[in-house]
Amino acid sequence: PKTPLSPFYIDLRKLQSHLNTKTLAVLALIELTKKIKYDYIAGIPLAAVALASSMADKTGKPQITPRMDKKTHGEIRAIDGDYERGKTALIVDDLVTGADSKLEAIEVLENNGLVVKDVAVVFDREQGGADQLAERGYALHAALKIKSTLRFYADVGKITLGQLKRLLSYLFTLC
């Protein structure tokens, strides 16, 4: 079945222009993943490359980037950056709705000899992405979840109770 058009949009690509907020998001991702063992940070292009780069700078873990397009010039490679086969990559993205782009990136990394166990995102829209990943054996780690965030927005007066009910109704019809 086709998913109804979402009544809200989350644009975390704007974080790259708001450095204090981006730093908070990066610190949240680092805190969220501090007990996970990984060798590389793999940001999903293009939305998470800035986040992954900042995470790499702060953690001292090298960044790699799976190519989601087919490169047709220069060196033909599936992953930008240096890496060793058999090492573990942490996938980083801005948010998760469904897991398709994460699974596509994981496939690129695994097809090139890397191990992937975990995916970290700033925001989980709670629309099935976590379940999709879990079904394939990957753990999702999200700094924020949409339902609790919307409730918070209603509590502080950023959205009305009517808007909250409409948004939660939309989200629960997808489950």
Side-chain angles (χ1 to χ4, degrees):
K2 187 167 169 68
T3 304
L5 185 62
S6 176
F8 61 91
Y9 180 69
I10 301 167
D11 187 0
L12 294 178
R13 292 171 190 222
K14 291 187 176 194
L15 285 176
Q16 65 188 341
S17 299
H18 301 274
L19 300 181
N20 290 338
T21 307
K22 180 179 119 182
T23 297
L24 292 174
V26 167
L27 292 174
L29 288 169
I30 291 170
E31 179 67 24
L32 195 62
T33 59
K34 70 181 180 185
K35 293 184 179 173
I36 296 171
K37 294 196 183 296
Y38 61 93
D39 303 295
Y40 305 104
I41 297 169
I44 299 203
L46 284 167
V49 172
L51 294 171
S53 178
S54 293
M55 279 183 75
D57 291 344
K58 291 187 183 316
T59 63
K61 301 278 186 178
Q63 176 186 1
I64 58 175
T65 307
R67 293 191 67 89
M68 309 302 269
D69 59 340
K70 300 293 182 212
K71 189 173 179 189
T72 59
H73 62 282
E75 274 189 65
I76 307 298
R77 62 178 166 258
I79 300 171
D80 288 328
D82 294 328
Y83 63 94
E84 291 179 42
R85 295 174 73 80
K87 299 269 182 153
T88 302
L90 169 68
I91 297 283
V92 173
D93 206 358
D94 58 344
L95 59 82
V96 63
T97 303
D100 295 347
S101 65
K102 280 69 155 158
L103 293 171
E104 184 180 341
I106 290 168
E107 182 178 6
V108 169
L109 295 170
E110 290 180 341
N111 285 346
N112 285 276
L114 289 159
V115 175
V116 177
K117 299 176 184 174
D118 299 277
V119 176
V121 298
V122 176
F123 227 109
D124 181 359
R125 286 181 56 112
E126 298 182 272
Q127 292 180 265
D131 292 337
Q132 254 185 297
L133 289 166
E135 287 168 9
R136 302 278 294 272
Y138 306 107
L140 178 68
H141 309 273
L144 296 168
K145 294 190 176 204
I146 192 61
K147 292 172 187 170
S148 58
T149 301
L150 291 172
R151 288 183 183 103
F152 172 77
Y153 282 170
D155 287 346
V156 298
K158 294 289 184 187
I159 62 174
T160 66
L161 284 176
Q163 289 170 318
L164 175 64
K165 287 179 186 177
R166 185 173 138 250
L167 295 170
L168 290 177
S169 173
Y170 163 79
L171 289 167
F172 283 113
T173 59
L174 299 175
C175 300

